[in-house]
Amino acid sequence: MAETKTSGLAYQAVKQYKGLKMYTDALSNAVRRLNYMTKEELAKEGIALGDKVNAQAVWDYANKLAEKALAGVNFDPKDPRFRNNYNEIRSIVKQFASTPDLVEALLASYIRTSTSYIDEKVVLPFQATKTGESKPQLHLVATAAGVEDEFRKVIDDINEPTDAGTVAGQIAPQLRERVFRGVATSTIGGLEKKVIPKM
């Protein structure tokens, strides 16, 4: 029997967070290299001339690094929702200038943006699915997140898709944390098995 779209909501949620962890790890490694670039290398990228840091060049460079990191994780490298707002990057550059904190603030900003976007991608399908189909998937998500006892009754009491989306949003941080830990400790396979759609 072919897998239906709704039968894999829990699996898709885990898969999205697995990709996010892999992306943020790759991006972290790439962005932190800025701390070790020479003045000549920074100037070549247009990021710094002397002590002046060019916000537009930092933004362009970060977007280029993000695209490379996304390409290896099965996300669309050209998806603008992974890029950060230029005004925020300009503000970070203005605030931190040529300090090592610039790199960490830049990285935190990109990670926050991508996490927010993936959280939304995880929750929205539950709001767009019939309640009877989404509830079993929410139970799987709660099990994978390690909060099945806490959320069992809440999920059982759901009456409409909006409620399912709300509950998915409440579980999402714990699921994200579990998936991130699973990727970091190479135990993600066990977590994925809990949510693999039944054929």
Side-chain angles (χ1 to χ4, degrees):
M1 188 167 104
E3 175 190 332
T4 64
K5 186 180 174 187
T6 55
S7 71
L9 288 179
Y11 179 71
Q12 287 302 317
V14 169
K15 189 174 166 186
Q16 294 283 350
Y17 283 132
K18 179 181 176 182
L20 176 63
K21 171 63 174 163
M22 294 167 67
Y23 163 66
T24 56
D25 283 353
L27 185 63
S28 297
N29 291 334
V31 170
R32 286 192 175 114
R33 284 193 200 119
L34 281 166
N35 279 330
Y36 306 103
M37 289 171 74
T38 65
K39 286 186 177 181
E40 292 76 20
E41 289 170 326
L42 290 170
K44 184 180 175 187
E45 292 292 341
I47 292 172
L49 295 170
D51 288 332
K52 186 174 171 77
V53 179
N54 180 327
Q56 176 83 44
V58 169
W59 186 59
D60 290 342
Y61 188 69
N63 286 338
K64 183 169 72 175
L65 294 178
E67 280 189 20
K68 283 184 183 175
L70 286 166
V73 188
N74 212 15
F75 286 137
D76 178 4
K78 298 293 184 186
D79 189 335
R81 289 165 292 196
F82 284 99
R83 293 195 182 103
N84 220 321
N85 183 302
Y86 170 69
N87 287 332
E88 183 169 349
I89 301 309
R90 183 174 59 183
S91 173
I92 286 169
V93 168
K94 190 174 180 181
Q95 184 176 357
F96 296 106
S98 299
T99 70
D101 291 335
L102 172 62
V103 170
E104 291 306 316
L106 180 68
L107 180 58
S109 183
Y110 270 79
I111 290 175
R112 196 168 46 250
T113 296
S114 59
T115 300
S116 176
Y117 175 44
I118 296 303
D119 282 349
E120 184 181 304
K121 282 187 79 168
V122 165
V123 170
L124 284 177
F126 286 96
Q127 293 177 332
T129 302
K130 291 179 182 178
T131 309
E133 295 171 4
S134 66
K135 283 165 85 167
Q137 292 297 305
L138 274 174
H139 280 296
L140 284 176
V141 168
T143 299
V147 294
E148 61 275 18
D149 291 337
E150 181 184 341
F151 278 91
R152 184 174 289 115
K153 184 171 182 342
V154 174
I155 294 169
D156 287 342
D157 289 346
I158 288 172
N159 292 315
E160 57 183 51
T162 305
D163 297 335
T166 300
V167 173
Q170 291 169 347
I171 299 172
Q174 291 99 320
L175 179 64
R176 184 181 348 112
E177 186 181 322
R178 271 284 181 97
V179 171
F180 278 22
R181 191 166 51 236
V183 172
T185 59
S186 300
T187 58
I188 189 65
L191 192 62
E192 288 176 310
K193 282 180 185 173
K194 291 181 180 179
V195 295
I196 288 178
K198 303 287 187 282
M199 298 296 182

